[in-house]
Amino acid sequence: LENMVIQNARGLAIHAEHWQGTISNCVVRSVVDITRSILDNALPTSAAGLYYYNYTQDRTLNVYDVVMSNITSSAAMLVRGRGRGTVNIDNCIFKDVSLGTALSMYGMLAFRNDDRTQGFWTTLSRTTFDSLTMPGHNSRESGFILSHQRRLTLDRCTFRDITITGNPMPLISMNR
């Protein structure tokens, strides 16, 4: 996906499942919140910006020069990686985002494998996080940025005006 503007997406802007590739020079803004019942498939509402799901084999997702902004959603996460592989996020801007439900237990950006046997090698570089709000959940099992089971590298990232409401939660959590 290159050189795209995604505006007013319903519930989730980008869903990449068992996919390997690059998302570059894109703008995601004003994702429209949707209310779903517990009977609906939970995938589209667990993340508002990007949901990356990969269990089949190690694959790489590169996200370069992407802006996600002006999003208010009840989604649990802005970016969610679930499964295993490598995620590289470089020179991106996450700005003016407010998330929040009782399900916001992992983080604004969460890279996790639910069966605890694999995970993501995640690198965030030259990325700005500005004016972001979400509820805190569990200080041991979550963080504003969560990496579960594998390596998390942060290089030259900027954090400004980060608000975690309710329960305290670390800004960066490397769990297990």
Side-chain angles (χ1 to χ4, degrees):
L1 301 175
E2 294 184 47
N3 306 313
M4 295 176 51
V5 174
I6 301 171
Q7 185 165 326
N8 298 325
R10 291 203 64 213
L12 172 62
I14 301 169
H15 182 183
E17 187 164 333
H18 302 296
W19 181 73
Q20 176 168 296
T22 300
I23 301 169
S24 66
N25 297 310
C26 294
V27 175
V28 175
R29 62 177 169 242
S30 304
V31 174
V32 177
D33 196 16
I34 58 173
T35 303
R36 299 176 66 90
S37 77
I38 196 164
L39 300 175
D40 290 331
N41 182 343
L43 294 181
T45 57
S46 65
L50 169 64
Y51 184 94
Y52 181 52
Y53 177 82
N54 177 53
Y55 272 104
T56 57
Q57 57 185 302
D58 284 335
R59 296 174 191 243
T60 300
L61 174 66
N62 296 307
V63 181
Y64 301 132
D65 303 312
V66 170
V67 175
M68 291 190 185
S69 65
N70 300 316
I71 298 171
T72 300
S73 175
S74 62
M77 292 154 268
L78 179 63
V79 175
R80 181 178 188 184
R82 184 172 173 220
R84 70 183 196 188
T86 300
V87 176
N88 300 306
I89 297 174
D90 182 47
N91 201 36
C92 293
I93 298 172
F94 301 98
K95 183 174 174 58
D96 297 323
V97 176
S98 179
L99 302 180
T101 69
L103 298 175
S104 300
M105 65 177 75
Y106 298 133
M108 182 74 69
L109 281 75
F111 304 96
R112 179 181 175 94
N113 184 3
D114 294 336
D115 71 7
R116 298 181 183 187
T117 59
Q118 301 159 18
F120 286 97
W121 298 98
T122 306
T123 300
L124 301 167
S125 57
R126 301 179 311 146
T127 293
T128 300
F129 302 90
D130 188 4
S131 301
L132 307 175
T133 302
M134 71 173 294
H137 179 68
N138 177 336
S139 63
R140 286 192 60 219
E141 296 290 329
S142 61
F144 182 80
I145 295 176
L146 170 69
S147 178
H148 191 266
Q149 295 292 84
R150 289 235 177 133
R151 179 192 74 212
L152 171 66
T153 301
L154 294 160
D155 179 27
R156 293 170 286 153
C157 294
T158 302
F159 296 87
R160 284 191 295 262
D161 194 20
I162 306 300
T163 304
I164 299 172
T165 62
N167 294 325
M169 185 169 72
L171 184 67
I172 299 162
S173 177
M174 294 157 291
N175 193 302
R176 297 182 182 86

